[in-house]
């Protein structure tokens, strides 16, 4: 039996195109016009494009199909930027923050992240499937100036005081952003001035949506360590893997994270933007939506049972509260006519 060797790549971002030289040197990639990066064909087909959109804002769009297993490690560096990433690849990409594994992609739970450049990250793209992701790199001072229009000066100063707070969160891709990303995914070519203008145009809209979105978040001021982030995300990954069971309970999740209940609940809400119970309940209902539309069930009761709800009325009530339609309205019934 032969073992598959994973090729490793270490790099760090800058707001200017110079960071790409690391990929050229370490993987033998081609860099065209300081924008378009093409990996050797034995590693991946497709490419990526990096553009400076405006002072303090750059965008990196990656559209590749990898032919070998690659672990791509973004090394923390003392650069003054935030990274906002979106992943809508055809299959799941493995993301590792610290020692914690997460999944992102078109069919995944959480495909969007906002993080400080000082947080290490690793991605392991799927082999033989299209990887499609976009990253915004935003100068911290520039982002603060945008966010300041939605907060009082005191709160803004506390949010961006790195001795007191770390800006970091994981979430779903909002519907407006997903529409724009799908436009790029369908275009899927890097050549031509019009495509570059389209990327820059979409990058500005995506940034605006993030600023709007974060303005609605409760400002939870807390300095995060890498271990805090790892431990909280470890519990969210556990919940996502166990949605067909009951909520594990706050004490059990806090114990898994190695924290007191109060600390755990506060950090979870800071990173995932809702309480552990609401996170679990909403993800269970999102799974319910997929099951209802799958065509594998004859009625709503079967779906509720599959999800572990003993009370159909409660499932219906919670589903309608979240999606504003009843589960019966979206149910695609199992085709019972296919009898041998």
């Amino acid at each position: 039996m032969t073992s598959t060797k994973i090729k490793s790549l270490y790099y760090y971002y800058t707001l200017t195109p110079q960071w790409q030289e690391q990929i050229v040197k370490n993987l033998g990639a081609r860099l065209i016009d300081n924008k378009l990066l093409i990996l050797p064909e034995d590693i991946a087909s497709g490419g990526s494009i990096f553009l400076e959109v405006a002072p303090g804002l750059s965008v990196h769009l990656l559209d590749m199909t990898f032919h070998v297993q690659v672990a791509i490690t973004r090394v923390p560096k003392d650069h003054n930027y935030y990274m906002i990433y979106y992943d809508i690849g055809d299959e799941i990409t493995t993301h590792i923050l610290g020692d914690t594994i997460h999944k992102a992609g078109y069919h995944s739970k959480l495909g969007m992240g906002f993080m400080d450049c000082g947080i290490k990250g690793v991605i392991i793209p799927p082999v033989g499937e299209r990887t499609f992701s976009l990253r915004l790199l935003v100068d911290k001072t520039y982002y603060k100036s945008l966010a300041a229009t939605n907060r009082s000066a005191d709160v803004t100063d506390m949010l961006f005081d790195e001795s007191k707070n770390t800006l970091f969160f994981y979430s779903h891709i909002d519907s407006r952003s997903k529409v724009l990303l799908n436009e790029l995914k369908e275009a899927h070519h890097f050549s031509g001035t019009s495509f570059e203008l389209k990327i820059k145009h979409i990058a500005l809209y995506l940034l605006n949506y993030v600023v709007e979105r974060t303005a609605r978040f409760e400002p939870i001021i807390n300095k995060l360590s890498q271990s805090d982030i790892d431990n909280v995300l470890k519990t969210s990954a556990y919940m996502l893997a166990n949605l067909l069971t009951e909520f594990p309970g706050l004490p059990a999740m806090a114990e898994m994270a190695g924290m007191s209940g109060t600390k755990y609940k506060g950090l979870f809400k800071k990173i995932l933007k809702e309480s552990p119970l609401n996170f679990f309940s909403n993800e269970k209902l999102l799974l319910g939506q997929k099951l209802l539309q799958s065509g594998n069930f004859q009625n709503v009761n079967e779906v509720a049972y599959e999800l572990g709800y003993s009370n159909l009325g409660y499932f219906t009530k919670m589903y309608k509260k979240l999606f504003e339609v009843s589960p019966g309205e979206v149910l695609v019934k199992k085709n019972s006519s296919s009898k041998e």
Side-chain angles (χ1 to χ4, degrees):
M1 181 180 293
T2 60
S3 59
T4 303
K5 185 176 181 181
I6 297 181
K7 186 179 289 290
S8 296
L9 170 66
Y10 295 86
Y11 78 104
Y12 58 85
Y13 273 124
T14 61
L15 286 166
T16 54
Q18 282 71 28
W19 69 271
Q20 296 171 109
E21 294 294 343
Q22 301 163 87
I23 315 300
V24 172
K25 179 181 177 182
N26 296 328
L27 289 184
R30 287 188 296 128
L31 182 59
I32 303 169
D33 295 331
N34 228 14
K35 301 173 186 175
L36 181 60
L37 195 65
I38 307 292
L39 296 186
E41 187 61 32
D42 61 330
I43 297 176
S45 54
S48 76
I49 186 168
F50 181 87
L51 298 169
E52 293 179 88
V53 180
L57 174 63
S58 297
V59 60
H60 181 213
L61 175 67
L62 185 148
D63 187 358
M64 293 183 184
T65 300
F66 285 85
H67 307 308
V68 295
Q69 194 84 79
V70 180
I72 305 169
T73 301
R74 179 177 48 78
V75 179
K77 280 284 183 177
D78 189 23
H79 294 294
N80 196 36
Y81 68 85
Y82 297 115
M83 185 179 81
I84 306 162
Y85 82 78
Y86 305 87
D87 192 325
I88 58 167
D90 288 349
E91 287 298 330
I92 302 299
T93 295
T94 301
H95 290 244
I96 304 173
L97 289 174
D99 298 321
T100 307
I101 295 175
H102 312 279
K103 305 293 183 180
Y106 201 74
H107 304 290
S108 69
K109 307 292 182 187
L110 306 175
M112 183 259 186
F114 182 112
M115 61 193 65
D116 191 284
C117 62
I119 296 171
K120 175 185 174 183
V122 182
I123 65 167
I124 304 176
V127 175
E129 301 287 349
R130 186 179 181 187
T131 295
F132 190 92
S133 60
L134 182 144
R135 289 158 178 78
L136 300 177
L137 307 178
V138 193
D139 176 82
K140 290 181 178 179
T141 302
Y142 177 48
Y143 194 86
K144 180 180 179 181
S145 70
L146 295 174
T149 60
N150 298 305
R151 304 279 191 197
S152 69
D154 289 347
V155 172
T156 299
D157 288 343
M158 289 181 70
L159 280 171
F160 290 88
D161 183 343
E162 295 189 9
S163 68
K164 299 176 181 176
N165 191 43
T166 306
L167 290 180
F168 180 96
F169 69 88
Y170 254 88
S171 188
H172 297 274
I173 302 175
D174 65 281
S175 58
R176 293 185 300 176
S177 297
K178 190 167 282 188
V179 167
L180 294 177
L181 291 164
N182 279 327
E183 282 183 22
L184 283 178
K185 191 175 182 182
E186 289 168 9
H188 71 81
H189 60 82
F190 295 115
S191 61
T193 304
S194 61
F195 188 67
E196 291 187 13
L197 289 174
K198 188 179 187 69
I199 294 173
K200 291 180 179 182
H201 171 83
I202 286 177
L204 289 167
Y205 269 100
L206 290 172
L207 179 60
N208 181 56
Y209 295 158
V210 173
V211 173
E212 286 182 5
R213 194 174 180 186
T214 54
R216 298 192 295 269
F217 291 159
E218 178 186 347
I220 301 172
I221 311 298
N222 202 305
K223 184 68 177 172
L224 295 173
S225 66
Q226 185 73 59
S227 62
D228 283 341
I229 294 169
D230 294 343
N231 290 328
V232 168
L233 291 177
K234 177 172 66 176
T235 67
S236 70
Y238 177 85
M239 284 187 258
L240 290 172
N242 291 276
L243 293 174
L244 299 182
T245 64
E246 293 183 352
F247 176 58
L250 186 62
M253 292 296 89
E255 183 178 359
M256 180 183 290
M259 302 175 187
S260 69
T262 301
K263 178 180 178 180
Y264 171 70
K265 189 174 181 180
L267 292 188
F268 191 99
K269 193 168 184 180
K270 178 179 177 65
I271 295 171
L272 280 304
K273 300 308 174 191
E274 53 191 335
S275 71
L277 176 58
N278 285 345
F279 174 82
F280 182 83
S281 299
N282 289 341
E283 293 300 326
K284 184 188 278 280
L285 290 168
L286 284 165
L287 175 59
Q289 184 184 54
K290 292 184 179 180
L291 296 181
L292 288 163
Q293 297 170 343
S294 69
N296 295 327
F297 299 88
Q298 190 60 36
N299 53 55
V300 174
N301 196 49
E302 289 182 7
V303 174
Y305 180 78
E306 179 74 10
L307 292 168
Y309 288 95
S310 57
N311 186 320
L312 176 60
Y314 180 72
F315 169 64
T316 301
K317 175 184 175 183
M318 297 305 292
Y319 188 94
K320 192 168 184 178
K321 182 179 178 182
L322 182 62
F323 297 110
E324 298 182 344
V325 294
S326 67
E329 293 178 68
V330 298
L331 173 70
V332 177
K333 288 190 177 183
K334 183 177 182 181
N335 186 357
S336 56
S337 63
S338 57
K339 295 181 180 178
E340 296 294 334

